[in-house]
């Protein structure tokens, strides 16, 4: 990306970098933009999460893990080079929402994924540039919002019914098979989502360690690869 815009950045240098969340594909490139006067902006929650999975640790997991988990990690991350990445510290954080000025234009940063989908529908933008995938519109944002509500409500109901997180993720995955979202990719990530929500639903809940989560994700991923 930086190579493609290199003819423009000498005249319009990048001074403000916003990380929407802490996944490596959204923050591991920050060091390529670091320099005097460059501001790195994230939500307060994202600023804490960025340091939890440093690139060196992920590099070690991808290249040093054996068995099914190693197979899964290399399928998910093997095409990326995580070496030599040292993410610079965040300089500005916010909670809820804030504004930044870029090139004389005000850019509003608004947190919370489902609320953001709803706001997109209200604003009716002609084009939405998502974090992943092709350009879309309000219909695309609405569909993502519906999926997220399905997951949120599904996890909440299963927690209330007394299921444990693993049973909840498997049961919800089965429910999703009967919806129009059945063919959405990376379904194994539901495991991590369930444990994240469990922390909100059950104060004091301690989620399993990263390797345990990867083991469950790997099992679900392998199952999805098997012919039905």
């Amino acid at each position: 990306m930086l190579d493609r815009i290199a003819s423009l950045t000498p005249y319009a240098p990048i001074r403000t970098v916003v990380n929407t969340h802490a996944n490596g594909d959204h923050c591991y490139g920050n060091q390529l933009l670091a320099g005097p006067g460059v501001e790195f902006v994230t939500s307060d929650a994202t600023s804490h999460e960025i340091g939890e999975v440093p690139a060196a640790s992920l590099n070690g997991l991808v290249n040093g893990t054996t068995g099914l988990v190693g197979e899964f990690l290399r399928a998910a991350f093997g095409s990326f080079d995580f070496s030599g990445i040292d993410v610079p510290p965040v300089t500005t954080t916010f909670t809820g929402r804030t504004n930044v000025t870029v090139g004389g234009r005000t850019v509003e940063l608004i947190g919370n994924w489902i609320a953001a989908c709803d706001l997109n529908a209200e604003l009716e933008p002609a084009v939405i540039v998502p974090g992943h995938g092709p350009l879309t519109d309000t219909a695309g944002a609405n569909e993502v919002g519906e999926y997220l509500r399905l997951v949120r409500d599904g996890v909440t109901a299963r927690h209330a019914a007394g299921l444990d997180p693993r049973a909840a993720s498997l049961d919800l995955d089965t429910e999703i098979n009967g919806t129009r979202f059945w063919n959405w990719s990376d379904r194994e990530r539901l495991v991590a989502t369930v444990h994240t929500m469990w922390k909100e639903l059950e104060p004091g809940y301690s989620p399993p360690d990263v390797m345990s989560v990867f083991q469950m994700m790997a099992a679900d991923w392998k199952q999805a690869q098997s012919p039905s």
Side-chain angles (χ1 to χ4, degrees):
M1 180 193 73
L2 295 177
D3 289 343
R4 291 290 297 271
I5 63 175
S7 62
L8 302 175
T9 47
Y11 310 100
I14 298 171
R15 298 296 187 198
T16 305
V17 181
V18 178
N19 294 130
T20 56
H21 56 294
N23 286 7
D25 54 331
H26 289 257
C27 69
Y28 282 177
N30 283 9
Q31 78 280 355
L32 301 176
L33 297 163
V38 177
E39 182 181 23
F40 293 96
V41 184
T42 75
S43 70
D44 185 62
T46 296
S47 71
H48 288 97
E49 191 178 352
I50 280 180
E52 291 182 358
V53 185
S57 296
L58 190 54
N59 189 45
L61 286 173
V62 172
N63 294 304
T65 307
T66 59
L68 177 59
V69 176
E71 183 184 351
F72 163 66
L73 289 172
R74 282 182 284 279
F77 304 113
S79 60
F80 303 103
D81 180 7
F82 296 111
S83 61
I85 295 175
D86 186 15
V87 179
V90 172
T91 57
T92 303
T93 65
F94 68 96
T95 301
R97 61 191 300 164
T98 191
N99 294 342
V100 296
T101 301
V102 180
R105 176 174 295 180
T106 298
V107 178
E108 296 180 77
L109 307 179
I110 306 170
N112 191 293
W113 204 349
I114 292 176
C117 291
D118 293 341
L119 182 59
N120 276 325
E122 294 176 17
L123 295 174
E124 297 184 335
V127 177
I128 296 175
V129 184
H132 295 273
L135 298 178
T136 187
D137 53 19
T138 54
N142 289 340
E143 192 167 33
V144 172
E146 289 179 31
Y147 171 77
L148 294 172
R149 286 187 181 85
L150 172 66
V151 171
R152 179 197 63 192
D153 296 344
V155 176
T156 302
R158 286 161 176 82
H159 178 270
L163 275 68
D164 62 55
R166 183 59 176 150
S169 65
L170 292 171
D171 193 56
L172 181 55
D173 191 58
T174 299
E175 179 185 340
I176 292 173
N177 280 333
T179 72
R180 71 179 188 279
F181 306 114
W182 69 270
N183 62 343
W184 282 28
S185 63
D186 302 321
R187 286 268 294 277
E188 69 278 356
R189 297 187 181 187
L190 192 61
V191 172
T193 300
V194 169
H195 285 291
T196 298
M197 278 200 64
W198 226 259
K199 290 191 295 183
E200 299 178 6
L201 295 168
E202 191 174 301
Y205 171 72
S206 181
D209 59 63
V210 172
M211 283 305 297
S212 297
V213 172
F214 277 146
Q215 286 172 350
M216 289 181 278
M217 292 174 69
D220 291 357
W221 168 79
K222 191 67 173 181
Q223 180 65 33
Q225 311 306 307
S226 304
S228 57

